Amino acid sequence: SGSLTVIREQTAQTNPYDGLEDTDYLKFVAPSSGYIVFTANNTPRNMGENLTLKLFLCNAKRKEITDTSKNYFYVVEDESITFAIAKGKTYYLRVDTYDEKYQLDYKFTKVNEKTGNHKKSKAATIKKKKLVKGLLMAGEKKADWYKIKLTKKQVVYLTVTAKSYKGINVNVY
């Protein structure tokens, strides 16, 4: 599926009691367009202590491309966060933590997308009982447009499933 290269930002020994966060950058290149799921596992700790991680998806220049208000989590049990990524691009996952030890697993899933265009005038048609897959890349402020052709007055049911770190908005016009 690929590999992650860990680049530790601070070289000092991590001390969980010093009140300072350490930062790691995990570098990866998307083998194809799809989504990547990072899962943080709460390794055994002292009673009442939970793993604390803040995760930020960054571009090749280590600039954050995700909304910082919604992309961190405190791991009580196994928790995951998902990002759509583009083929061939280099990304970094920035991990900020007070903990000296953490386990972060990942799984990449390729998506063959047949998406709507980013322009309303070039919207892709969704046909009855057909699955349409799309990707809205992390850090992009674009939308996919789709259209449904009705030949008579009828009720339309849409089922939308999203794998997103902060949800998805669907508007019907």
Side-chain angles (χ1 to χ4, degrees):
S1 181
S3 64
L4 300 176
T5 306
V6 178
I7 302 165
R8 184 164 282 276
E9 190 76 349
Q10 295 179 329
T11 55
Q13 177 67 27
T14 303
N15 178 351
Y17 304 105
D18 66 5
L20 300 174
E21 283 185 314
D22 286 323
T23 300
D24 291 336
Y25 284 90
L26 289 75
K27 179 181 179 180
F28 60 98
V29 177
S32 57
S33 292
Y35 61 90
I36 190 164
V37 179
F38 292 97
T39 303
N41 300 302
N42 194 5
T43 56
R45 314 188 100 58
N46 294 331
M47 183 67 103
E49 289 184 15
N50 292 317
L51 175 64
T52 303
L53 296 176
K54 292 181 186 176
L55 303 179
F56 305 86
L57 188 65
C58 302
N59 64 16
K61 296 179 180 179
R62 295 189 191 179
K63 182 177 188 264
E64 293 173 23
I65 58 174
T66 52
D67 177 4
T68 57
S69 66
K70 295 220 178 186
N71 62 357
Y72 61 89
F73 54 91
Y74 300 96
V75 182
V76 178
E77 296 177 11
D78 293 356
E79 293 188 37
S80 62
I81 190 166
T82 304
F83 302 104
I85 54 178
K87 179 181 181 176
K89 288 196 174 185
T90 299
Y91 295 93
Y92 287 90
L93 182 71
R94 187 177 111 198
V95 181
D96 292 348
T97 184
Y98 293 102
D99 296 277
E100 64 183 72
K101 187 169 85 171
Y102 61 88
Q103 181 179 337
L104 196 59
D105 300 322
Y106 76 98
K107 180 180 180 198
F108 176 78
T109 303
K110 179 180 178 178
V111 174
N112 294 321
E113 65 175 326
K114 295 180 178 163
T115 67
N117 198 295
H118 293 306
K119 294 183 180 182
K120 184 178 178 180
S121 61
K122 295 184 178 184
T125 302
I126 297 177
K127 297 187 179 185
K128 188 175 183 178
K129 296 189 180 185
K130 294 293 179 184
L131 175 67
V132 178
K133 294 181 181 180
L135 291 171
L136 295 173
M137 301 302 171
E140 290 185 1
K141 295 183 180 183
K142 295 181 180 178
D144 282 348
W145 286 89
Y146 300 93
K147 61 185 173 186
I148 300 169
K149 292 184 181 180
L150 302 177
T151 56
K152 60 183 177 182
K153 189 175 182 176
Q154 60 194 42
V155 176
V156 176
Y157 296 96
L158 293 175
T159 302
V160 178
T161 305
K163 297 178 188 313
S164 170
Y165 73 95
K166 68 176 196 173
I168 186 169
N169 293 323
V170 177
N171 297 306
V172 179
Y173 299 98

